[in-house]
Amino acid sequence: MRCEICGQPIEEGKSKRTKIDGSVMEVCPDCSKFGVIQKEPPKPKNIKNNGKKDGVSGFNKNSRPSRPMYSIDEPTEELVEDFQSIVRKARENKGFSREELGEKIYEKVSVINRIESGKMVPDIKLAKKLEKALNIILIEKISNMELEDFKNKSSGGPTLGDIVKIKRK
């Protein structure tokens, strides 16, 4: 483990949970003086089951189905980067005026103007209408990214000490 402030290696069991400017960090004993050392969080006590499988939910903790790491509400589709020029070029290639395109997808001309100028980002519903009317692709699928790709590696990334110069008194 490395100190989150200075980046020095910390021996197992020697790190200190310290609150520094409102953030709780695992730091070395030298850097712990910059904040308030925190107590270890209390361990949960065992609850009596009263004859039920889990006491509350009726399920054993180990038998629960695993949930995906992402929320169902998270978007899985995203608008392409240069959507405004794609829409404008496709409209011009089809020979539509902005008014004609607006009538075709049941939107105001001002909406088409703002999309093509980049002042407005269409929502997924409007982007799908534009895709269908102009025969273009504006929405791309987002692949599920693995959480492991973002976890801090043992070699460690940059620490606060790499970025900030600490004033010693």
Side-chain angles (χ1 to χ4, degrees):
M1 171 181 264
R2 292 176 48 181
C3 174
E4 293 183 36
I5 299 287
C6 68
Q8 292 179 1
I10 306 171
E11 292 178 34
E12 192 68 33
K14 299 279 185 178
S15 67
K16 306 274 186 191
R17 288 177 49 86
T18 307
K19 190 172 195 174
I20 303 172
D21 289 334
S23 297
V24 178
M25 297 184 247
E26 293 285 333
V27 298
C28 65
D30 292 336
C31 293
S32 67
K33 64 184 174 196
F34 294 117
V36 179
I37 296 176
Q38 302 290 299
K39 293 183 202 174
E40 286 296 317
K43 294 188 172 129
K45 297 178 181 177
N46 290 338
I47 301 173
K48 294 189 178 184
N49 289 338
N50 294 335
K52 295 182 184 175
K53 290 181 182 175
D54 186 29
V56 178
S57 65
F59 290 103
N60 186 343
K61 289 180 184 177
N62 297 334
S63 69
R64 288 185 191 155
S66 62
R67 293 186 324 151
M69 293 304 292
Y70 56 90
S71 170
I72 293 172
D73 296 337
E74 286 186 35
T76 56
E77 299 174 328
E78 189 175 85
L79 200 62
V80 294
E81 247 180 75
D82 196 24
F83 66 90
Q84 60 270 29
S85 63
I86 294 171
V87 170
R88 184 178 43 79
K89 286 177 186 172
R91 178 184 58 78
E92 290 170 353
N93 288 342
K94 291 271 187 181
F96 294 148
S97 67
R98 289 180 175 158
E99 291 82 11
E100 290 171 329
L101 178 60
E103 286 176 16
K104 193 169 183 76
I105 64 171
Y106 304 104
E107 291 291 338
K108 293 181 180 178
V109 177
S110 61
V111 171
I112 307 298
N113 287 334
R114 290 189 311 205
I115 289 171
E116 288 185 0
S117 66
K119 294 179 181 176
M120 176 183 164
V121 178
D123 61 357
I124 299 296
K125 185 178 177 182
L126 179 55
K128 285 184 180 180
K129 287 199 287 189
L130 287 166
E131 281 182 334
K132 190 173 182 180
L134 299 172
N135 196 22
I136 55 175
I137 296 175
L138 293 176
I139 300 170
E140 59 188 6
K141 299 279 184 192
I142 301 172
S143 63
N144 294 333
M145 296 181 196
E146 295 295 324
L147 181 63
E148 297 299 320
D149 294 342
F150 294 102
K151 283 189 177 175
N152 195 4
K153 306 284 187 236
S154 61
S155 63
T159 62
L160 288 175
D162 297 332
I163 300 167
V164 178
K165 189 162 190 157
I166 300 171
K167 282 187 177 180
R168 305 274 181 191
K169 291 183 180 180

